Amino acid sequence: MRSFQGLPVSPGLVIGPVVRIDRGAVGLHRIVSDPFRERALYEAAIVLAKDELRRLQQHACGQDADILMFQIALLEDESFTNEIGDYIAAGAGSAAAVERAEQIFAGRLKNVDDAYIQERSVDVCDVCRRVVDILDGRPRRRLHLTEPSILAADLFYPSDLFGQEPGKILGIVSDSDSETSHAAIMARSMGIPALCHLGEGVADTIAGHRAILDAENGRLTLDPTPVHLEEARRRLDQLRRAGQQPDALASAPCRTRDGTAFTLLASANCSTPQSITAAIQAGVSGIGLVRTESVVVEQIDEAGQIEIYRRCLQNAGDKPVTVRTCDWGADDGGRWIYGVQEQVTDESVVMTQLSALMQAGTQGNLRVVLPMIADGEAWKTRMDQLGRCRAALRERGVPFREDVPVGCLIEIPAAALLAGEIIDGGARFLVIDVDDLTQYTCGVSRKEAGPAYRADNPAVLRLVHGVLEAAKARGVPVHLCGITKAELPALSAYLRTGVRSFCTENAYLSPLKATLMDVDLRTAPEST
């Protein structure tokens, strides 16, 4: 029996055989033809790859659909295509040209000082591997599970988890994935346990063995003894029985130990309205942040956007839903898709989204938050756009909600320092993205360890305190979003600073609530 410690990124406990993702060797027996034939082969492979991705997308939903959409967007990106075409013209084979583009584009993402964007480099590798496999005549589906199994890999590609029969994936373990990787995000959405950061070479070591995956305690036990198996089965029974009962925390009032009330909100993506339903059932007071980058990437028109936003509002019932307008330049790897960047800077894209939101606002309790506002002048520009959008809707004679509350996302120090000026310009509420604000304030990436990046860094807390003071003086509500598992221990500091409304994804709602309920504001914080 051997045990490995890892980073738990999706909770749960399972027992089963370990199956390793084997991607095999590439580049064997390649024959390079003339550049015209190689270019034709590449273009045919792109058509086939996009067709495969679209077929997968038809059966995908939520996060899976977004991943496939991003991969299709890369294959259509002009700079990506030109990079490959130039290398083919210089005499390289089409497969080698794609592999070279994979290194270049994935490398650009890995060098961005943002952990979330760095993790998106795996999308580049995934879709490029698909194209290379087509060119090399290799199968794209690398694994067919015949029994429920624990999947292992050094690094998971999104396509590794697509297309498996329901219930066949018991859990996933990885040598190097992280909390913000697609593997972790998909595991949480699938409700399966996952461990990452097991260490180099572990996936090879554990393949073919039976194991206990304990993502509650971050442990993978290989070839467990009968005693360990019995203990694991007993805990599984306890977890199953607990799962049949309502979450005790869900019905408990949101109050700290000293009786101070707080509010819990959930975050979601507009492409996963079902996650909104799940959050409401978990007892949240509303949806504090809905991301909308997917509507820009998919180039969804006004009517299509209206339907998406309406569905989100309907799933929330009468509870408030805060939709963030597209923020492509700030996350999701948008820096490497030039065509999408052009779309976002095109005012017609912005106006289409604002118009769709105001029309959908008649169907529920909608609020809109605007990202990446640096000062009062930037805020005024967005308010001018909103005014022109209202005027156009009136002229068209279509029903829309005139008084949709519009707020500002505080994610950069400039916005925090000028919060009062932004409120005076018409912001009716503020949303502080603590994760982004910490990164931009401290000037370090999320992957860098140490006290400088802690979410309760004194400089960040001072900025948040200033925002709260400006908002309180003007009677404007504030809530905190961008809360990841790593930030949970810092939340007591924000309670003490004055934050009373918190927003996180569904997987962290219960631990966030438990963390906040355990705080006693009557006592001094423990020194660290």
Side-chain angles (χ1 to χ4, degrees), residues 392-468:
L393 289 171
R394 293 189 202 102
E395 186 175 341
R396 288 166 54 188
V398 296
F400 71 98
R401 184 177 170 189
E402 286 262 9
D403 63 341
V404 172
V406 180
C408 181
L409 190 66
I410 306 296
E411 57 202 315
I412 55 178
L417 292 170
L418 299 174
E421 181 179 328
I422 293 170
I423 296 171
D424 293 341
R428 293 172 58 179
F429 63 94
L430 301 177
V431 180
I432 302 173
D433 188 326
V434 66
D435 197 29
D436 280 348
L437 186 60
T438 301
Q439 179 191 9
Y440 294 135
T441 300
C442 299
V444 293
S445 70
R446 291 174 173 88
K447 70 177 182 179
E448 293 181 38
Y453 185 67
R454 285 176 57 97
D456 54 358
N457 178 283
V460 180
L461 286 170
R462 187 174 298 182
L463 285 173
V464 171
H465 178 73
V467 172
L468 294 172

